[in-house]
Amino acid sequence: FESSGELGRELEPWNIDSFGEAGGGTEPFMTVDYMDFQQLKAGAAIGLHRHRDNQEAILMMSGSGLIVVGDWAKFPDRERCFEVRTLKAGQLVLIKGGNILGLMNDTDNPAQLFVFGGYD
């Protein structure tokens, strides 16, 4: 995958790369620094928060929930944008650096998710 560009990302001026440098450019890889297995009880939530300098992937293992994903900053060429979707068992979502994220289990059953990501 090294030359595919699939694991990399374009850095915004506020991002910090894997070498601790800021200022934009391209980063050719994503490192995984943490992995968590979480269970959300019925009605529980992961509060709305911002991912400034890290990417994160969430795999819904069982159950479902409402996920909010969007941009936190307004750019000259686009407005802020948020999406609310249902995340079901077996679905994966990638949260890019610069995004806001929130997840709520709006069902009567527990939801299990596997979360992993990397700080740049």
Side-chain angles (χ1 to χ4, degrees):
F1 290 99
E2 185 176 343
S3 62
S4 72
E6 291 183 40
L7 300 178
R9 68 175 179 139
E10 293 296 319
L11 298 170
E12 300 294 342
W14 62 82
N15 292 133
I16 298 171
D17 68 18
S18 297
F19 304 104
E21 300 295 323
T26 301
E27 184 158 57
F29 59 90
M30 175 184 155
T31 57
V32 174
D33 292 320
Y34 61 91
M35 288 186 265
D36 294 316
F37 182 75
Q38 300 176 0
Q39 179 165 312
L40 286 178
K41 294 181 180 179
I46 297 171
L48 200 60
H49 61 285
R50 178 177 63 162
H51 282 242
R52 181 173 173 163
D53 293 325
N54 69 303
Q55 297 182 77
E56 187 169 85
I58 300 172
L59 174 62
M60 185 64 77
M61 303 292 288
S62 67
S64 67
L66 293 177
I67 189 163
V68 177
V69 179
D71 293 331
W72 68 275
K74 183 176 178 179
F75 293 95
D77 60 341
R78 63 184 165 91
E79 296 289 326
R80 292 181 179 104
C81 177
F82 298 93
E83 292 184 42
V84 178
R85 294 188 176 190
T86 300
L87 187 62
K88 298 177 184 176
Q91 293 181 329
L92 177 80
V93 63
L94 177 63
I95 311 301
K96 295 283 205 170
N99 281 168
I100 288 179
L101 164 70
L103 179 64
M104 178 183 176
N105 181 352
D106 61 335
T107 71
D108 294 331
N109 300 308
Q112 296 179 332
L113 42 137
F114 180 62
V115 179
F116 60 97
Y119 289 91
D120 297 325

